[in-house]
Amino acid sequence: MTEHADRPSFFARAIAMVRRIPEGEVTTYGQISLLVSGRVRGARAVGYALAALDGRESETVPWWRVVNREGRISNSNSRSGAHLQRQLLEAEGVEFGADDRIDLSVHGWDGPEGYF
DNA sequence: CTTCTGACTGGGA
DNA sequence: GTCCCAGCCAGAA
């Protein structure tokens, strides 16, 4: 972590929020951004945060439960394993549509209960 | 110091 | 449905 202990950065807060996603559910980059900063536009920074995960963190942080607003696996994560992400989600019971899309109204996660 | 880029999103045309 | 643009945060050149 590169942020100050008393003032966790947007980066660190995003990772902490991803850890809260329950098994078998998914959320979007925009939702994470909204939960940790109150702004949807920080979604891009969330994606950057997950891209910077270490090999060790990639095992403790459920990064595979984060998809884009369409419910699809994002493009460049293919270098880390888009196929792996889908495989991990299906193993948790997440279903993909014919167009490789997840129904967020079924598997979508809105954040911790009573967070706001 | 400035500028660009990226696992993104919402709004307008 | 499509395409384009601005905004968000962090890091690299």
Side-chain angles (χ1 to χ4, degrees):
Chain A
M1 299 295 187
T2 58
E3 74 292 344
H4 193 284
D6 295 326
R7 289 189 54 186
S9 64
F10 180 94
F11 188 103
R13 276 182 263 165
I15 298 301
M17 187 58 69
V18 173
R19 287 178 183 274
R20 295 199 185 194
I21 305 174
E23 183 178 320
E25 294 185 40
V26 299
T27 191
T28 66
Y29 298 94
Q31 185 64 36
I32 295 296
S33 177
L34 181 64
L35 290 170
V36 304
S37 69
R39 291 171 183 165
V40 185
R41 310 307 179 115
R44 213 167 156 185
V46 175
Y48 190 85
L50 296 182
L53 287 176
D54 293 329
R56 184 174 177 285
E57 291 180 308
S58 66
E59 295 181 9
T60 58
V61 179
W63 56 267
W64 57 87
R65 295 180 188 144
V66 184
V67 296
N68 62 24
R69 70 183 173 94
E70 298 180 342
R72 295 178 195 252
I73 296 173
S74 297
N75 58 349
S76 295
N77 91 352
S78 57
R79 64 181 176 78
S80 299
H83 178 69
L84 172 63
Q85 180 168 6
R86 174 166 180 157
Q87 192 174 335
L88 289 168
L89 289 174
E90 291 183 322
E92 298 182 349
V94 177
E95 302 171 315
F96 285 76
D99 50 356
D100 299 318
R101 201 149 35 84
I102 300 171
D103 188 344
L104 295 178
S105 66
V106 177
H107 299 286
W109 182 65
D110 297 324
E113 290 294 329
Y115 184 80
F116 290 108

